[in-house]
Amino acid sequence: MLGFRSKNADDEKIKNPPSDDSYPIINALFANNNEISVNVLSITILDLISQNQIKSEIELNESYSVGKKLTQEDMEVMKNITLRIANKGELKTSETLAIKLLKTMNKNKKFNLKQMAKQSNNTSIANKFEKDFLDFAKAFKNENGFDGKNYKDILENGKFTGSGKELKKEWANFRDYLKSGDLTGKYPPESVEENSSQLIYAACFGIEKDALDLRENNTAVTVFIDKDGYKLLNIIFNNALSNVSKKRKGDGIFYGVNDKYTIPGGG
């Protein structure tokens, strides 16, 4: 049974995550209706960047935000965001598969997001991406004891239990803290590590840019988010799924493409 604690806006504990569940689980349970979408993969990659398992090399000085439709300027920005796989040491199976997925999709350990975006238009690459993504999702579920309908004492038969509803409220309070100027100013992150962690949690709820506006841009994760790298990953991965030749059904994976973007250079 998870332990809960009361959250109060005047209590410094509001800056503490309500539970120690993994970032991807928080996204799947409390921000994405129990579905495993590409956001789970993108958040895993954010965490790998924070662990220095993936190096993010960015040749842009100014902050950048992607609009409602991809432009050539966006593609040029993607060209200046390079990821280099440098994984060492022990990783979770899902993390290993996420890295393998990136290597396979890009046919290299070092690539920029523009190259990956173009690869996502290729049907054969998209089909392989889907297979790798399903393997990743399966590992993620196995690691967390999550089958889409059940998780610990939080989720049962697809619905939140009493404990789950209480925890969901706790996470909603934490989400509000992340985007509150007053609360962040009163209880700021106390280290660069905590700053990165808070930004990854913010990405779980889709408020990463709002949270970054209130925090220092001082880590590889914050710089990546500052250039809209997290959103760009979701766009690229969603685009790959939209280009598979035949969609599978009944696998528990969310195939609805959230971001209706067309990536230039399709084949």
Side-chain angles (χ1 to χ4, degrees), residues 2-260:
L2 294 172
F4 305 118
R5 53 178 170 266
S6 171
K7 294 287 187 181
N8 187 298
D10 295 323
D11 187 342
E12 188 174 4
K13 289 181 179 179
I14 196 169
K15 71 191 288 287
N16 298 330
S19 70
D20 61 359
D21 298 287
S22 69
Y23 299 118
I25 274 287
I26 299 308
N27 174 262
L29 288 180
F30 303 118
N32 213 29
N33 298 319
N34 310 335
E35 291 168 331
I36 301 175
S37 69
V38 296
N39 304 64
V40 169
L41 173 61
S42 298
I43 288 165
T44 299
I45 291 171
L46 279 184
D47 193 16
L48 289 168
I49 290 173
S50 76
Q51 299 175 46
N52 290 317
Q53 299 286 350
I54 296 176
K55 302 288 186 179
S56 174
E57 301 166 359
I58 299 179
E59 298 179 3
L60 292 169
N61 294 321
E62 301 299 321
S63 178
Y64 193 80
S65 295
V66 179
K68 294 183 178 180
K69 182 178 180 181
L70 277 186
T71 65
Q72 287 300 326
E73 183 182 6
D74 296 328
M75 296 297 287
E76 289 305 302
V77 166
M78 285 194 263
K79 186 171 70 174
N80 290 289
I81 302 175
T82 297
L83 296 181
R84 177 167 55 86
I85 296 169
N87 60 300
K88 296 180 180 180
E90 188 174 348
L91 293 173
K92 297 177 183 176
T93 303
S94 62
E95 293 173 330
T96 299
L97 288 172
I99 287 174
K100 176 187 174 185
L101 178 152
L102 291 177
K103 287 181 182 177
T104 302
M105 186 176 186
N106 295 282
K107 300 180 180 179
N108 208 327
K109 293 176 66 175
K110 183 176 180 179
F111 49 89
N112 63 55
L113 295 193
K114 181 178 180 180
Q115 292 169 330
M116 185 161 66
K118 288 187 173 181
Q119 289 282 75
S120 72
N121 280 321
N122 183 298
T123 300
S124 63
I125 295 292
N127 288 342
K128 185 65 172 68
F129 171 83
E130 183 197 40
K131 179 183 180 300
D132 289 345
F133 180 63
L134 290 171
D135 289 342
F136 162 81
K138 182 179 179 179
F140 164 73
K141 290 194 290 186
N142 288 339
E143 286 169 0
N144 292 282
F146 171 65
D147 64 8
K149 292 186 177 181
N150 300 281
Y151 178 70
K152 294 184 176 178
D153 64 343
I154 297 170
L155 193 69
E156 186 175 341
N157 295 323
K159 296 183 179 180
F160 284 110
T161 62
S163 297
K165 290 176 182 177
E166 287 300 314
L167 187 57
K168 186 175 183 179
K169 291 177 183 178
E170 296 275 349
W171 278 106
N173 287 336
F174 183 69
R175 178 197 62 205
D176 292 344
Y177 155 73
L178 292 173
K179 63 180 181 180
S180 167
D182 290 341
L183 292 175
T184 299
K186 193 171 183 179
Y187 307 116
E190 298 177 2
S191 66
V192 292
E193 291 81 12
E194 186 176 25
N195 198 45
S196 281
S197 179
Q198 289 189 358
L199 265 293
I200 298 174
Y201 279 123
C204 292
F205 293 103
I207 57 169
E208 67 279 359
K209 295 299 282 283
D210 295 326
L212 180 57
D213 286 343
L214 306 173
R215 289 163 177 78
E216 291 189 58
N217 185 6
N218 58 2
T219 73
V221 167
T222 63
V223 173
F224 189 75
I225 286 174
D226 183 52
K227 313 311 179 193
D228 238 355
Y230 170 69
K231 185 174 182 178
L232 287 168
L233 284 180
N234 284 329
I235 291 170
I236 292 167
F237 296 149
N238 272 319
N239 190 64
L241 286 181
S242 74
N243 283 311
V244 299
S245 57
K246 184 177 180 180
K247 307 293 191 301
R248 295 179 174 89
K249 294 184 178 180
D251 50 33
I253 304 303
F254 178 56
Y255 282 95
V257 179
N258 295 315
D259 301 310
K260 305 294 185 179

